[in-house]
Structure formats: structure tokens, C-alpha cells
Amino acid sequence: MFRYKKSINVGYDRQGYIYFTSRAYGSLSPDRQQSIWNLCLRCGGENYKALFQFVTTGAGAETICLQNNLSRSTLERAVRRYYREFPDYL
């Protein structure tokens, strides 16, 4: 479910666009899928798989953090970077 996050410093409409584009990952063209994957690699660092899972599925942060053995704050930092660096053209 989409929720606006003030801590991300990206406007409501833009956050909605990023959220729904990311969640539609499976129906995007291969080029667009690759762009999202590359962005997760860049923004998530060694935790790129957790970031990818968080932005492209409905899995909750708690579950992802437990599965990937990382703190909630680490995931939140990666998500903020992902939203700030999401390309305008995707």
C-alpha cells in the first residue's frame, strides 16, 4: 500500500509514480527492468537484494530486514537514496 514518506524529500506525486512504477516491475520492458535493477545495485550497495525486494514487492520492511539480516535504518537509507535517484524517464 502506498504511503507518503516525508523523510524522503520527494513530492507526493513523484513518490506515487516511483512506488507504482517499481511495483509494476514484472510488466515493464526489459530495459526498464534493468534500470530498476541497476538503481537498486547503486543505492543498496551490498544490500541491493533487500532493496530490490522492498521496492518491487508487497513485502514489509520487517520481513525483509529479518530475511536479509539488516537493520531497519539501513533499509530506510537505501530506500531514500532509491527515491532520490529514481530517473525521470522511467
Side-chain angles (χ1 to χ4, degrees):
M1 177 166 54
F2 173 68
R3 292 184 324 169
Y4 176 68
K5 299 173 181 85
K6 292 179 184 177
S7 65
I8 292 180
N9 292 329
V10 173
Y12 179 85
D13 291 340
R14 179 88 177 130
Q15 279 190 36
Y17 169 75
I18 294 167
Y19 175 84
F20 290 111
T21 300
S22 300
R23 289 293 304 273
Y25 177 85
S27 64
L28 297 175
S29 71
D31 289 344
R32 288 182 173 188
Q33 287 179 350
Q34 188 64 49
S35 293
I36 289 176
W37 180 253
N38 291 339
L39 184 60
C40 288
L41 284 169
R42 190 169 64 244
C43 296
E46 65 185 30
N47 301 307
Y48 71 94
K49 289 180 184 177
L51 176 59
F52 179 79
Q53 183 182 6
F54 184 74
V55 299
T56 61
T57 71
E62 293 289 326
T63 302
I64 291 171
C65 289
L66 286 172
Q67 289 174 347
N68 293 279
N69 195 29
L70 74 145
S71 70
R72 178 88 181 238
S73 61
T74 299
L75 179 61
E76 289 172 354
R77 277 192 304 275
V79 170
R80 280 194 301 272
R81 279 192 299 271
Y82 177 86
Y83 272 76
R84 282 194 306 262
E85 295 186 23
F86 196 91
D88 290 334
Y89 61 86
L90 194 65

